[in-house]
Amino acid sequence: MRLIALNGFAGSSAPWRGAVVVRAQAGGVGVLVDPTAALAARLEVEPALRRRAGLDGSARAVVLSAAPLEQVSALIEMRHGAPIELYTSPAVFESLTQSLPVLPRLQPLCPVHWRMVPVAGDRLSASFSIHGGAGLRGTAAASAEPAAGADPAPAPDGEALALAFDDVDSGRRIVWLRRGHRIGAATRGLLHGADAVVVESESDDGPTEPLVRWLASLRAGHKLLLGGRAGLDAPLARLGIARARDGMEIAL
């Protein structure tokens, strides 16, 4: 199983505007998780990068945990490429078709096939198959309700799903948590036994101290932070946390 970090901008000093790709094996189909507009634009003009990430097939697998403007813009950037197999929840799909009606405008340019991730209502978690994903299976978990007395205001990007990807053959698991996700029982179930955990920093300056402490406390063999300044690399490394760099690849 492989985890590939790709930034929207090449170069070690560039700000992080990237995402991750999950592949069951070398040569397998890549699954693009929460792509940014900058990365989607870069993939359109760099065929070698698409090949390396397994995103050069007859269709592209994209998994969205939420529908903030960044992910809406990414789908728009992908309009001239191969058809999109879009994996997301009914709430996110509704947002993309009604609140921000990008999919109806996108369909004439780039066919989008919605693969429902059935997390809705009282159903807090659900598994889903990655069609053509060569041995990958996904699981999504809803964000927890705010604790009693906690600030009920939503995160800037809305409530995001937690996502896990399992290699059916090896049993390895990668978990992705984006900014805005509140960890509840369903998410803790995904994190149990995870081999790699990928977390988004709250800002370009870096993660908050509570996030760093929590990430350092996990037993996963690989802990990857998306975002933050290069100057954080050394102190994070001492805690067993790596900051994502463009092109970084982790084999599990």
Side-chain angles (χ1 to χ4, degrees):
M1 192 178 195
R2 293 178 181 273
L3 174 67
I4 306 171
L6 297 175
N7 198 5
F9 306 109
S12 58
S13 61
W16 184 263
R17 297 292 184 272
V20 294
V21 175
V22 178
R23 304 180 76 175
Q25 56 191 356
V29 173
V31 178
L32 186 56
V33 184
D34 282 339
T36 62
L39 177 57
R42 184 183 174 196
L43 287 168
E44 290 301 309
V45 298
E46 295 190 27
L49 191 62
R50 293 199 302 273
R51 285 194 297 272
R52 183 192 166 194
L55 300 171
D56 58 344
S58 57
R60 293 168 291 178
V62 177
V63 183
L64 295 186
S65 67
L69 185 60
E70 188 67 63
Q71 270 61 65
V72 172
S73 300
L75 292 175
I76 294 172
E77 288 287 352
M78 297 172 73
R79 67 190 181 277
H80 298 304
I84 297 170
E85 297 281 324
L86 180 63
Y87 299 81
T88 196
S89 67
V92 173
F93 184 77
E94 181 179 359
S95 178
L96 294 172
T97 54
Q98 297 182 30
S99 303
L100 292 169
V102 63
L103 294 188
R105 295 172 181 261
L106 192 63
Q107 283 284 9
L109 301 171
C110 175
V112 180
H113 183 192
W114 178 37
R115 303 283 188 179
M116 184 173 66
V117 178
V119 176
D122 293 335
R123 189 169 186 180
L124 300 181
S125 65
S127 295
F128 57 98
S129 298
I130 307 291
H131 296 263
L136 275 180
R137 185 165 183 80
T139 305
S143 196
E145 292 294 327
D151 182 1
D157 288 344
E159 297 294 350
L161 298 171
L163 298 170
F165 299 91
D166 293 288
D167 186 320
V168 176
D169 293 330
S170 69
R172 300 290 189 178
R173 168 172 285 190
I174 294 169
V175 174
W176 158 239
L177 298 174
R178 70 170 296 141
R179 180 177 58 244
H181 181 82
R182 294 187 177 101
I183 296 173
T187 302
R188 285 191 287 272
L190 295 188
L191 289 165
H192 181 71
D195 299 281
V197 177
V198 187
V199 178
E200 183 180 30
S201 174
E202 295 97 336
S203 72
D204 286 344
D205 288 334
T208 61
E209 186 176 339
L211 176 59
V212 171
R213 287 201 306 268
W214 174 81
L215 189 54
S217 73
L218 299 180
R219 294 183 178 181
H222 298 276
K223 291 170 275 194
L224 186 63
L225 178 74
L226 301 191
R229 295 173 285 103
L232 296 172
D233 287 357
L236 288 174
R238 287 193 289 270
L239 296 171
I241 301 169
R243 190 180 64 90
R245 301 184 306 276
D246 181 39
M248 176 187 287
E249 185 167 343
I250 298 173
L252 301 173

